[in-house]
Amino acid sequence: MAGNAANTNQWAGADVFIAPVGTEGPTDLVSTWPTGWQPVGLLDGEEGFTEEREDETSEKYAWGGILVRRSKSQHKRTIRFVALEDNAVTFGLLNPGSERTSLNGVRRSTIKVPTAGARFAIGFETRDGDRVKRRIVDTAEVDEVAEIKESETEPTIYDIKVIVFPDAEGVLYTDIETDPEYTPPAG
């Protein structure tokens, strides 16, 4: 069988981090996430991270049905994850512009109508043994929040899809990861 099993990914652990736009992300695989990055908390590992791509294509045909040109435009990239914790970071993603306070063990949330345009940086980290992958998105915004169900038989989950905005050079995100094919020089 051809191939390299080291190039397959099944991650044992993961985190999502949120920071204000302009916050520098990590530049290596071992340092902690820099100041300003806050963890979303526990995640649904079975759901993982789902990346979706959308774009418009246009095809032009010559007489006789011969394809002569194809173009793409309006590229959109989204990443979905499922948070399990109701904490300050998750609350801010779900309810931009809303307020939450806590006093003497009582938490009070004032929920306002969310507005589009609440942008942030987002980072994804996956781990399995010595392998690490970090994805740093400089600018994102919540695109969609799925139905939130309160139940006696299942924990409440927060299914969040973020839209990724490219920078001026068209960069959507940066990945820093362990190279599974790297062999250290003998020595």
Side-chain angles (χ1 to χ4, degrees):
M1 176 172 73
N4 182 351
N7 286 325
T8 62
N9 297 317
Q10 183 171 352
W11 302 103
D15 281 301
V16 174
F17 296 88
I18 304 295
V21 170
T23 304
E24 289 294 321
T27 57
D28 61 43
L29 297 173
V30 294
S31 301
T32 59
W33 284 71
T35 302
W37 291 89
Q38 299 295 317
V40 169
L42 294 174
L43 304 170
D44 186 333
E46 189 172 332
E47 290 294 328
F49 302 141
T50 306
E51 183 175 333
E52 219 178 305
R53 303 166 182 225
E54 286 180 38
D55 48 38
E56 296 291 325
T57 58
S58 175
E59 296 175 344
K60 303 297 180 201
Y61 293 85
W63 274 355
I66 300 170
L67 179 63
V68 294
R69 182 164 173 82
R70 184 170 187 260
S71 64
K72 288 182 140 193
S73 65
Q74 300 180 353
H75 183 79
K76 176 179 162 182
R77 188 80 54 107
T78 59
I79 302 173
R80 178 185 161 267
F81 63 95
V82 178
L84 299 176
E85 286 190 46
D86 179 8
N87 57 34
V89 176
T90 304
F91 179 81
L93 290 172
L94 300 172
N95 305 293
S98 297
E99 296 176 14
R100 177 178 271 177
T101 58
S102 181
L103 180 64
N104 298 324
V106 176
R107 189 162 69 179
R108 179 183 175 96
S109 302
T110 304
I111 312 300
K112 297 181 181 178
V113 175
T115 57
R119 295 189 176 175
F120 48 86
I122 187 167
F124 299 88
E125 180 174 301
T126 49
R127 297 171 300 281
D128 185 34
D130 292 340
R131 290 190 64 191
V132 176
K133 179 177 181 180
R134 289 177 164 180
R135 173 167 293 168
I136 300 98
V137 177
D138 291 336
T139 308
E141 177 179 310
V142 172
D143 184 44
E144 183 180 313
V145 175
E147 178 180 273
I148 299 170
K149 176 182 171 185
E150 305 278 353
S151 164
E152 73 175 85
T153 59
E154 300 171 357
T156 303
I157 63 169
Y158 307 95
D159 188 333
I160 302 167
K161 184 192 297 186
V162 298
I163 185 168
V164 176
F165 290 88
D167 67 13
E169 296 173 5
V171 175
L172 293 165
Y173 50 75
T174 301
D175 281 346
I176 305 169
E177 61 188 310
T178 307
D179 182 350
E181 297 182 295
Y182 174 72
T183 304

PDB file of all heavy atoms in Angstrom, residues 2-32:
ATOM      1  N   ALA A   2       0.659   2.135  -0.931  1.00  0.00           N
ATOM      2  CA  ALA A   2       1.426   3.368  -1.018  1.00  0.00           C
ATOM      3  C   ALA A   2       0.865   4.394  -0.038  1.00  0.00           C
ATOM      4  O   ALA A   2      -0.307   4.369   0.298  1.00  0.00           O
ATOM      5  CB  ALA A   2       1.367   3.918  -2.435  1.00  0.00           C
ATOM      6  N   GLY A   3       1.699   5.311   0.375  1.00  0.00           N
ATOM      7  CA  GLY A   3       1.253   6.371   1.276  1.00  0.00           C
ATOM      8  C   GLY A   3       2.061   6.389   2.556  1.00  0.00           C
ATOM      9  O   GLY A   3       2.936   5.563   2.785  1.00  0.00           O
ATOM     10  N   ASN A   4       1.732   7.373   3.397  1.00  0.00           N
ATOM     11  CA  ASN A   4       2.454   7.555   4.647  1.00  0.00           C
ATOM     12  C   ASN A   4       1.430   7.812   5.742  1.00  0.00           C
ATOM     13  O   ASN A   4       0.806   8.881   5.781  1.00  0.00           O
ATOM     14  CB  ASN A   4       3.426   8.734   4.512  1.00  0.00           C
ATOM     15  CG  ASN A   4       4.242   8.956   5.766  1.00  0.00           C
ATOM     16  OD1 ASN A   4       3.994   8.352   6.812  1.00  0.00           O
ATOM     17  ND2 ASN A   4       5.223   9.837   5.669  1.00  0.00           N
ATOM     18  N   ALA A   5       1.257   6.865   6.644  1.00  0.00           N
ATOM     19  CA  ALA A   5       0.273   6.994   7.720  1.00  0.00           C
ATOM     20  C   ALA A   5       0.554   8.192   8.612  1.00  0.00           C
ATOM     21  O   ALA A   5      -0.363   8.729   9.246  1.00  0.00           O
ATOM     22  CB  ALA A   5       0.243   5.716   8.548  1.00  0.00           C
ATOM     23  N   ALA A   6       1.807   8.656   8.668  1.00  0.00           N
ATOM     24  CA  ALA A   6       2.144   9.826   9.485  1.00  0.00           C
ATOM     25  C   ALA A   6       1.455  11.092   8.972  1.00  0.00           C
ATOM     26  O   ALA A   6       1.339  12.073   9.695  1.00  0.00           O
ATOM     27  CB  ALA A   6       3.658  10.038   9.510  1.00  0.00           C
ATOM     28  N   ASN A   7       0.993  11.062   7.726  1.00  0.00           N
ATOM     29  CA  ASN A   7       0.317  12.233   7.147  1.00  0.00           C
ATOM     30  C   ASN A   7      -1.182  12.260   7.419  1.00  0.00           C
ATOM     31  O   ASN A   7      -1.878  13.142   6.931  1.00  0.00           O
ATOM     32  CB  ASN A   7       0.558  12.294   5.632  1.00  0.00           C
ATOM     33  CG  ASN A   7       1.957  12.728   5.311  1.00  0.00           C
ATOM     34  OD1 ASN A   7       2.551  13.544   6.007  1.00  0.00           O
ATOM     35  ND2 ASN A   7       2.509  12.178   4.244  1.00  0.00           N
ATOM     36  N   THR A   8      -1.699  11.300   8.181  1.00  0.00           N
ATOM     37  CA  THR A   8      -3.114  11.321   8.551  1.00  0.00           C
ATOM     38  C   THR A   8      -3.266  12.034   9.891  1.00  0.00           C
ATOM     39  O   THR A   8      -2.353  12.025  10.715  1.00  0.00           O
ATOM     40  CB  THR A   8      -3.694   9.901   8.650  1.00  0.00           C
ATOM     41  OG1 THR A   8      -2.994   9.193   9.676  1.00  0.00           O
ATOM     42  CG2 THR A   8      -3.567   9.163   7.328  1.00  0.00           C
ATOM     43  N   ASN A   9      -4.411  12.647  10.077  1.00  0.00           N
ATOM     44  CA  ASN A   9      -4.645  13.405  11.305  1.00  0.00           C
ATOM     45  C   ASN A   9      -5.888  12.913  12.024  1.00  0.00           C
ATOM     46  O   ASN A   9      -6.964  12.828  11.432  1.00  0.00           O
ATOM     47  CB  ASN A   9      -4.841  14.894  10.990  1.00  0.00           C
ATOM     48  CG  ASN A   9      -3.608  15.512  10.382  1.00  0.00           C
ATOM     49  OD1 ASN A   9      -2.503  15.256  10.827  1.00  0.00           O
ATOM     50  ND2 ASN A   9      -3.792  16.322   9.361  1.00  0.00           N
ATOM     51  N   GLN A  10      -5.724  12.573  13.292  1.00  0.00           N
ATOM     52  CA  GLN A  10      -6.830  12.340  14.202  1.00  0.00           C
ATOM     53  C   GLN A  10      -6.371  12.915  15.525  1.00  0.00           C
ATOM     54  O   GLN A  10      -5.427  12.410  16.138  1.00  0.00           O
ATOM     55  CB  GLN A  10      -7.163  10.854  14.337  1.00  0.00           C
ATOM     56  CG  GLN A  10      -8.362  10.626  15.219  1.00  0.00           C
ATOM     57  CD  GLN A  10      -8.838   9.181  15.182  1.00  0.00           C
ATOM     58  OE1 GLN A  10      -8.375   8.377  14.399  1.00  0.00           O
ATOM     59  NE2 GLN A  10      -9.774   8.862  16.051  1.00  0.00           N
ATOM     60  N   TRP A  11      -7.008  13.989  15.931  1.00  0.00           N
ATOM     61  CA  TRP A  11      -6.501  14.792  17.029  1.00  0.00           C
ATOM     62  C   TRP A  11      -7.111  14.372  18.359  1.00  0.00           C
ATOM     63  O   TRP A  11      -8.321  14.220  18.478  1.00  0.00           O
ATOM     64  CB  TRP A  11      -6.793  16.259  16.750  1.00  0.00           C
ATOM     65  CG  TRP A  11      -6.191  16.699  15.454  1.00  0.00           C
ATOM     66  CD1 TRP A  11      -6.843  16.895  14.267  1.00  0.00           C
ATOM     67  CD2 TRP A  11      -4.813  16.974  15.194  1.00  0.00           C
ATOM     68  NE1 TRP A  11      -5.957  17.276  13.294  1.00  0.00           N
ATOM     69  CE2 TRP A  11      -4.698  17.344  13.831  1.00  0.00           C
ATOM     70  CE3 TRP A  11      -3.653  16.948  15.967  1.00  0.00           C
ATOM     71  CZ2 TRP A  11      -3.490  17.678  13.235  1.00  0.00           C
ATOM     72  CZ3 TRP A  11      -2.442  17.284  15.380  1.00  0.00           C
ATOM     73  CH2 TRP A  11      -2.371  17.649  14.037  1.00  0.00           C
ATOM     74  N   ALA A  12      -6.267  14.250  19.383  1.00  0.00           N
ATOM     75  CA  ALA A  12      -6.701  13.846  20.715  1.00  0.00           C
ATOM     76  C   ALA A  12      -7.174  15.032  21.553  1.00  0.00           C
ATOM     77  O   ALA A  12      -7.947  14.869  22.490  1.00  0.00           O
ATOM     78  CB  ALA A  12      -5.569  13.123  21.443  1.00  0.00           C
ATOM     79  N   GLY A  13      -6.714  16.233  21.236  1.00  0.00           N
ATOM     80  CA  GLY A  13      -7.093  17.411  22.013  1.00  0.00           C
ATOM     81  C   GLY A  13      -7.157  18.637  21.133  1.00  0.00           C
ATOM     82  O   GLY A  13      -6.531  18.691  20.072  1.00  0.00           O
ATOM     83  N   ALA A  14      -7.929  19.624  21.573  1.00  0.00           N
ATOM     84  CA  ALA A  14      -8.066  20.846  20.785  1.00  0.00           C
ATOM     85  C   ALA A  14      -8.520  21.998  21.664  1.00  0.00           C
ATOM     86  O   ALA A  14      -9.107  21.796  22.733  1.00  0.00           O
ATOM     87  CB  ALA A  14      -9.064  20.640  19.648  1.00  0.00           C
ATOM     88  N   ASP A  15      -8.245  23.211  21.185  1.00  0.00           N
ATOM     89  CA  ASP A  15      -8.717  24.438  21.824  1.00  0.00           C
ATOM     90  C   ASP A  15      -9.030  25.464  20.758  1.00  0.00           C
ATOM     91  O   ASP A  15      -8.472  25.428  19.656  1.00  0.00           O
ATOM     92  CB  ASP A  15      -7.639  25.025  22.753  1.00  0.00           C
ATOM     93  CG  ASP A  15      -7.571  24.300  24.075  1.00  0.00           C
ATOM     94  OD1 ASP A  15      -8.600  24.265  24.784  1.00  0.00           O
ATOM     95  OD2 ASP A  15      -6.499  23.765  24.412  1.00  0.00           O
ATOM     96  N   VAL A  16      -9.918  26.393  21.114  1.00  0.00           N
ATOM     97  CA  VAL A  16     -10.201  27.570  20.300  1.00  0.00           C
ATOM     98  C   VAL A  16      -9.902  28.775  21.180  1.00  0.00           C
ATOM     99  O   VAL A  16     -10.271  28.804  22.354  1.00  0.00           O
ATOM    100  CB  VAL A  16     -11.680  27.608  19.829  1.00  0.00           C
ATOM    101  CG1 VAL A  16     -11.987  28.906  19.107  1.00  0.00           C
ATOM    102  CG2 VAL A  16     -11.988  26.424  18.929  1.00  0.00           C
ATOM    103  N   PHE A  17      -9.229  29.772  20.602  1.00  0.00           N
ATOM    104  CA  PHE A  17      -8.873  30.990  21.326  1.00  0.00           C
ATOM    105  C   PHE A  17      -9.431  32.196  20.582  1.00  0.00           C
ATOM    106  O   PHE A  17      -9.440  32.218  19.347  1.00  0.00           O
ATOM    107  CB  PHE A  17      -7.350  31.134  21.421  1.00  0.00           C
ATOM    108  CG  PHE A  17      -6.691  30.039  22.206  1.00  0.00           C
ATOM    109  CD1 PHE A  17      -6.289  28.864  21.590  1.00  0.00           C
ATOM    110  CD2 PHE A  17      -6.479  30.176  23.565  1.00  0.00           C
ATOM    111  CE1 PHE A  17      -5.684  27.844  22.307  1.00  0.00           C
ATOM    112  CE2 PHE A  17      -5.867  29.159  24.301  1.00  0.00           C
ATOM    113  CZ  PHE A  17      -5.472  27.990  23.667  1.00  0.00           C
ATOM    114  N   ILE A  18      -9.865  33.218  21.333  1.00  0.00           N
ATOM    115  CA  ILE A  18     -10.416  34.452  20.769  1.00  0.00           C
ATOM    116  C   ILE A  18      -9.593  35.622  21.299  1.00  0.00           C
ATOM    117  O   ILE A  18      -9.196  35.638  22.462  1.00  0.00           O
ATOM    118  CB  ILE A  18     -11.894  34.646  21.190  1.00  0.00           C
ATOM    119  CG1 ILE A  18     -12.740  33.431  20.785  1.00  0.00           C
ATOM    120  CG2 ILE A  18     -12.469  35.943  20.626  1.00  0.00           C
ATOM    121  CD1 ILE A  18     -12.862  33.197  19.302  1.00  0.00           C
ATOM    122  N   ALA A  19      -9.342  36.612  20.415  1.00  0.00           N
ATOM    123  CA  ALA A  19      -8.599  37.812  20.815  1.00  0.00           C
ATOM    124  C   ALA A  19      -9.110  38.999  19.996  1.00  0.00           C
ATOM    125  O   ALA A  19      -9.729  38.811  18.942  1.00  0.00           O
ATOM    126  CB  ALA A  19      -7.098  37.615  20.573  1.00  0.00           C
ATOM    127  N   PRO A  20      -8.822  40.204  20.443  1.00  0.00           N
ATOM    128  CA  PRO A  20      -9.173  41.365  19.624  1.00  0.00           C
ATOM    129  C   PRO A  20      -8.396  41.344  18.300  1.00  0.00           C
ATOM    130  O   PRO A  20      -7.268  40.847  18.246  1.00  0.00           O
ATOM    131  CB  PRO A  20      -8.740  42.554  20.491  1.00  0.00           C
ATOM    132  CG  PRO A  20      -8.680  42.026  21.893  1.00  0.00           C
ATOM    133  CD  PRO A  20      -8.282  40.588  21.759  1.00  0.00           C
ATOM    134  N   VAL A  21      -9.008  41.881  17.254  1.00  0.00           N
ATOM    135  CA  VAL A  21      -8.315  42.000  15.966  1.00  0.00           C
ATOM    136  C   VAL A  21      -7.018  42.755  16.199  1.00  0.00           C
ATOM    137  O   VAL A  21      -6.973  43.729  16.954  1.00  0.00           O
ATOM    138  CB  VAL A  21      -9.205  42.741  14.935  1.00  0.00           C
ATOM    139  CG1 VAL A  21      -8.423  43.088  13.683  1.00  0.00           C
ATOM    140  CG2 VAL A  21     -10.413  41.897  14.585  1.00  0.00           C
ATOM    141  N   GLY A  22      -5.949  42.296  15.570  1.00  0.00           N
ATOM    142  CA  GLY A  22      -4.646  42.937  15.712  1.00  0.00           C
ATOM    143  C   GLY A  22      -3.764  42.307  16.768  1.00  0.00           C
ATOM    144  O   GLY A  22      -2.595  42.669  16.900  1.00  0.00           O
ATOM    145  N   THR A  23      -4.295  41.351  17.532  1.00  0.00           N
ATOM    146  CA  THR A  23      -3.501  40.670  18.545  1.00  0.00           C
ATOM    147  C   THR A  23      -2.583  39.665  17.854  1.00  0.00           C
ATOM    148  O   THR A  23      -3.039  38.862  17.046  1.00  0.00           O
ATOM    149  CB  THR A  23      -4.406  39.931  19.552  1.00  0.00           C
ATOM    150  OG1 THR A  23      -5.328  40.857  20.118  1.00  0.00           O
ATOM    151  CG2 THR A  23      -3.587  39.280  20.655  1.00  0.00           C
ATOM    152  N   GLU A  24      -1.307  39.729  18.151  1.00  0.00           N
ATOM    153  CA  GLU A  24      -0.342  38.806  17.554  1.00  0.00           C
ATOM    154  C   GLU A  24      -0.617  37.387  18.024  1.00  0.00           C
ATOM    155  O   GLU A  24      -0.839  37.143  19.208  1.00  0.00           O
ATOM    156  CB  GLU A  24       1.089  39.195  17.934  1.00  0.00           C
ATOM    157  CG  GLU A  24       1.586  40.456  17.268  1.00  0.00           C
ATOM    158  CD  GLU A  24       1.739  40.304  15.751  1.00  0.00           C
ATOM    159  OE1 GLU A  24       2.178  39.231  15.298  1.00  0.00           O
ATOM    160  OE2 GLU A  24       1.409  41.268  15.033  1.00  0.00           O
ATOM    161  N   GLY A  25      -0.578  36.463  17.084  1.00  0.00           N
ATOM    162  CA  GLY A  25      -0.762  35.050  17.409  1.00  0.00           C
ATOM    163  C   GLY A  25       0.574  34.402  17.705  1.00  0.00           C
ATOM    164  O   GLY A  25       1.638  35.025  17.593  1.00  0.00           O
ATOM    165  N   PRO A  26       0.546  33.135  18.076  1.00  0.00           N
ATOM    166  CA  PRO A  26       1.801  32.428  18.346  1.00  0.00           C
ATOM    167  C   PRO A  26       2.616  32.275  17.061  1.00  0.00           C
ATOM    168  O   PRO A  26       2.063  32.267  15.964  1.00  0.00           O
ATOM    169  CB  PRO A  26       1.342  31.072  18.870  1.00  0.00           C
ATOM    170  CG  PRO A  26      -0.050  30.903  18.376  1.00  0.00           C
ATOM    171  CD  PRO A  26      -0.621  32.275  18.231  1.00  0.00           C
ATOM    172  N   THR A  27       3.928  32.162  17.219  1.00  0.00           N
ATOM    173  CA  THR A  27       4.814  32.014  16.061  1.00  0.00           C
ATOM    174  C   THR A  27       5.534  30.667  16.071  1.00  0.00           C
ATOM    175  O   THR A  27       6.369  30.420  15.215  1.00  0.00           O
ATOM    176  CB  THR A  27       5.854  33.153  16.032  1.00  0.00           C
ATOM    177  OG1 THR A  27       6.586  33.127  17.269  1.00  0.00           O
ATOM    178  CG2 THR A  27       5.193  34.502  15.850  1.00  0.00           C
ATOM    179  N   ASP A  28       5.225  29.835  17.057  1.00  0.00           N
ATOM    180  CA  ASP A  28       5.839  28.513  17.137  1.00  0.00           C
ATOM    181  C   ASP A  28       4.816  27.533  17.702  1.00  0.00           C
ATOM    182  O   ASP A  28       3.661  27.900  17.922  1.00  0.00           O
ATOM    183  CB  ASP A  28       7.118  28.549  17.971  1.00  0.00           C
ATOM    184  CG  ASP A  28       6.876  28.993  19.405  1.00  0.00           C
ATOM    185  OD1 ASP A  28       5.884  28.541  20.018  1.00  0.00           O
ATOM    186  OD2 ASP A  28       7.665  29.787  19.927  1.00  0.00           O
ATOM    187  N   LEU A  29       5.252  26.312  17.960  1.00  0.00           N
ATOM    188  CA  LEU A  29       4.341  25.273  18.431  1.00  0.00           C
ATOM    189  C   LEU A  29       4.433  24.995  19.923  1.00  0.00           C
ATOM    190  O   LEU A  29       3.654  24.201  20.447  1.00  0.00           O
ATOM    191  CB  LEU A  29       4.618  23.966  17.676  1.00  0.00           C
ATOM    192  CG  LEU A  29       4.382  24.022  16.169  1.00  0.00           C
ATOM    193  CD1 LEU A  29       4.854  22.734  15.506  1.00  0.00           C
ATOM    194  CD2 LEU A  29       2.925  24.284  15.868  1.00  0.00           C
ATOM    195  N   VAL A  30       5.367  25.651  20.629  1.00  0.00           N
ATOM    196  CA  VAL A  30       5.582  25.314  22.037  1.00  0.00           C
ATOM    197  C   VAL A  30       5.220  26.429  23.006  1.00  0.00           C
ATOM    198  O   VAL A  30       4.875  26.158  24.148  1.00  0.00           O
ATOM    199  CB  VAL A  30       7.037  24.854  22.293  1.00  0.00           C
ATOM    200  CG1 VAL A  30       7.312  23.538  21.582  1.00  0.00           C
ATOM    201  CG2 VAL A  30       8.034  25.904  21.878  1.00  0.00           C
ATOM    202  N   SER A  31       5.270  27.670  22.569  1.00  0.00           N
ATOM    203  CA  SER A  31       4.947  28.782  23.456  1.00  0.00           C
ATOM    204  C   SER A  31       3.457  28.814  23.750  1.00  0.00           C
ATOM    205  O   SER A  31       2.645  28.401  22.925  1.00  0.00           O
ATOM    206  CB  SER A  31       5.344  30.120  22.821  1.00  0.00           C
ATOM    207  OG  SER A  31       6.721  30.146  22.550  1.00  0.00           O
ATOM    208  N   THR A  32       3.107  29.314  24.938  1.00  0.00           N
ATOM    209  CA  THR A  32       1.689  29.498  25.226  1.00  0.00           C
ATOM    210  C   THR A  32       1.142  30.582  24.309  1.00  0.00           C
ATOM    211  O   THR A  32       1.900  31.382  23.747  1.00  0.00           O
ATOM    212  CB  THR A  32       1.465  29.908  26.696  1.00  0.00           C
ATOM    213  OG1 THR A  32       2.175  31.122  26.946  1.00  0.00           O
ATOM    214  CG2 THR A  32       1.937  28.830  27.653  1.00  0.00           C
TER     215      THR A  32
END
